[in-house]
Amino acid sequence: MPVVETTYTEIGAFDAKTKLSEILRKVEQGERFTITLRGRAVADIVPSQLKNRERVAEAVRRLLAMPKIEGIPPETVKAWIEEGRH
């Protein structure tokens, strides 16, 4: 998997405080910010992973709710899986 470079926009603490709503809207759209204090990085504001976790949990729930395959020997299923690896 290729490494994706993530860029952060630096913003001073005072500006971050005065523009918090704007920053949060941009973060919601995927942007990332590093808050600095006297030129020193102190915090990162990044999109929440909660939404991704909720989507993953929903996908797992739906997979588990799928009907089970019955009447096919495990060796056949294993062979099918291995065929897909080529």
Side-chain angles (χ1 to χ4, degrees), residues 9-49:
T9 301
E10 285 192 10
I11 187 166
F14 179 80
D15 286 337
K17 182 177 84 167
T18 59
K19 299 177 181 178
L20 183 59
S21 294
E22 177 185 339
I23 290 170
L24 292 177
R25 278 192 295 280
K26 289 181 178 183
V27 169
E28 202 171 35
Q29 296 171 359
E31 291 189 44
R32 297 165 182 264
F33 291 84
T34 295
I35 297 178
T36 60
L37 187 59
R38 296 184 183 97
R40 185 175 44 92
V42 294
D44 294 322
I45 300 179
V46 299
S48 173
Q49 295 300 309

